Amino acid sequence: MFEIFKQIFTDISFSGAFLETVIIIFIGFIFRQKNIIGGEGKALVTTLVWKLSVPCFAFNAFMQDFDSANFLGSIKEFGFAVIFYILLICIGLLIFIHKGKNIGILCGLFIAIGQTTLFSMPILQSIYSGREGYEQVLLNISAISIVFRIFVYIIGFSLISGQKWDAKSFGESLKRIFLTPIMIGMFLGIAVFLLQTKAPVLRIDRSLPALYVTVRALSSILTPLAMLLIGLTLGESKFADSFKDVRAWVIALLRNFAAPVFVLAVCILLHRSGIAYFTEYSLIALVIGFSAPMSVTLSVMCMQFKNEETLASRACLLSTLFTVISLPLMFVLCYWAMRFLN
């Protein structure tokens, strides 16, 4: 157990992501408290994130090799990820339904969706680097990350934006959701990802590297700008209020501890009953994939649509802080579970 904790805490990917998050959030908080960045400045940062950085990030996320045989090999993890996201959203809705349907849905999203690509993937890369199963665990977490992106950019966007669907405005609703920079970026990325074997020129990171530099640059500023936005939002109230918000605490605890434990328990139950079998690599990919702190992109969406942005920012901050304990703990539980299953 000690070795696992030591390896994670000394890993530059984890410590770097954690410190980057906390420090930039704190900077944003100070800048807003001291009015160095006012309301107009916050609106400008939100626009830059929403109109430029997030679409480029959504597109760039799919600039990776696609192999149909390898993808089919990880289809089980893909399918279980879909099921777990749906179940966790529903569980969150049931827990918070007494606060209203809107709050229940938002809390369900916060509990279900974590920062898979920022925390889970680099940690698994580091832990398994040079070890047996490296390619398999990365293949599994990559499949899960595809589901993560779909739920963030399509499901999350649709629910947080509060777009109403009815027969009269169906066409207009489709335009409002799908003809936005973020959706255009994601669907272009998916198209490139799926069609690259037949049309390699679509991979602009290889065919047009000079153009791709701009896309990558705009994509890379998402995390710091999003963290800054969270800090600016927290700066509109007292910082201590984040630690007094009961709902934020409940969301963060459920996101960091209950969600991955739920995934682990279901996997153990399915394995023991013979319904589905999990290897070390598939089990760890699923559990760690659901162990990351709450998605920053969801917080940005809440700010864009003025939908419980303070709650989202507070829950994101607390969830990030809890990751120091929760992520190593989930690794330990996974290793214990594999001994139990074997």
Side-chain angles (χ1 to χ4, degrees), residues 9-27:
F9 284 130
T10 56
D11 178 68
I12 189 63
S13 298
F14 175 75
S15 58
F18 175 78
L19 289 174
E20 176 188 20
T21 299
V22 174
I23 292 172
I24 296 179
I25 287 177
F26 184 70
I27 290 173

Side-chain angles (χ1 to χ4, degrees), residues 81-332:
V82 172
I83 294 171
F84 283 132
Y85 276 123
I86 294 173
L87 287 175
L88 288 170
I89 290 173
C90 292
I91 291 171
L93 172 60
L94 291 174
I95 292 174
F96 288 94
I97 191 64
H98 65 284
K99 296 290 185 180
K101 185 178 179 181
N102 178 59
I103 295 294
I105 291 174
L106 285 178
C107 292
L109 288 171
F110 298 161
I111 292 167
I113 303 175
Q115 300 180 53
T116 303
T117 54
L118 184 61
F119 278 83
S120 299
M121 291 189 74
I123 283 296
L124 286 173
Q125 282 180 310
S126 176
I127 296 293
Y128 279 91
S129 179
R131 292 177 53 187
E132 180 182 354
Y134 175 76
E135 292 184 358
Q136 187 59 52
V137 77
L138 286 188
L139 182 64
N140 293 339
I141 193 63
S142 295
I144 295 168
S145 71
I146 294 173
V147 183
F148 156 75
R149 290 164 192 146
I150 292 172
F151 269 80
V152 168
Y153 298 120
I154 297 182
I155 308 298
F157 179 87
S158 300
L159 294 175
I160 293 173
S161 66
Q163 181 63 52
K164 304 296 183 183
W165 297 88
D166 55 61
K168 294 181 179 180
S169 62
F170 185 76
E172 187 63 29
S173 297
L174 284 177
K175 289 181 181 179
R176 289 179 181 176
I177 289 180
F178 293 106
L179 294 183
T180 59
I182 184 174
M183 287 298 166
I184 293 172
M186 192 196 73
F187 283 117
L188 284 176
I190 292 175
V192 172
F193 180 67
L194 295 177
L195 300 175
Q196 62 181 286
T197 53
K198 295 183 178 180
V201 70
L202 294 175
R203 283 290 298 272
I204 65 169
D205 55 329
R206 295 171 180 170
S207 61
L208 296 170
L211 175 62
Y212 176 68
V213 169
T214 302
V215 176
R216 186 176 58 191
L218 289 172
S219 173
S220 66
I221 64 173
L222 172 61
T223 298
L225 283 182
M227 301 304 176
L228 186 66
L229 265 179
I230 292 173
L232 293 173
T233 301
L234 293 174
E236 294 175 342
S237 60
K238 294 181 179 179
F239 191 75
D241 291 345
S242 300
F243 298 94
K244 298 177 183 177
D245 192 327
V246 176
R247 283 187 300 168
W249 273 87
V250 173
I251 291 169
L253 289 171
L254 290 174
R255 165 64 254 166
N256 286 64
F257 297 97
V261 168
F262 171 76
V263 171
L264 179 60
V266 171
C267 289
I268 291 174
L269 181 63
L270 292 174
H271 189 98
R272 296 289 289 181
S273 62
I275 298 175
Y277 293 97
F278 298 90
T279 65
E280 171 190 334
Y281 315 120
S282 59
L283 181 69
I284 282 186
L286 278 167
V287 175
I288 300 305
F290 281 86
S291 298
M294 181 187 139
S295 171
V296 171
T297 307
L298 291 181
S299 288
V300 173
M301 290 180 182
C302 288
M303 295 175 203
Q304 172 67 20
F305 295 104
K306 306 298 181 183
N307 195 347
E308 295 294 331
E309 56 182 313
T310 301
L311 174 62
S313 298
R314 291 173 177 174
C316 191
L317 171 64
L318 292 173
S319 180
T320 301
L321 294 176
F322 289 158
T323 306
V324 175
I325 300 173
S326 63
L327 202 54
L329 178 62
M330 293 310 147
F331 265 103
V332 173

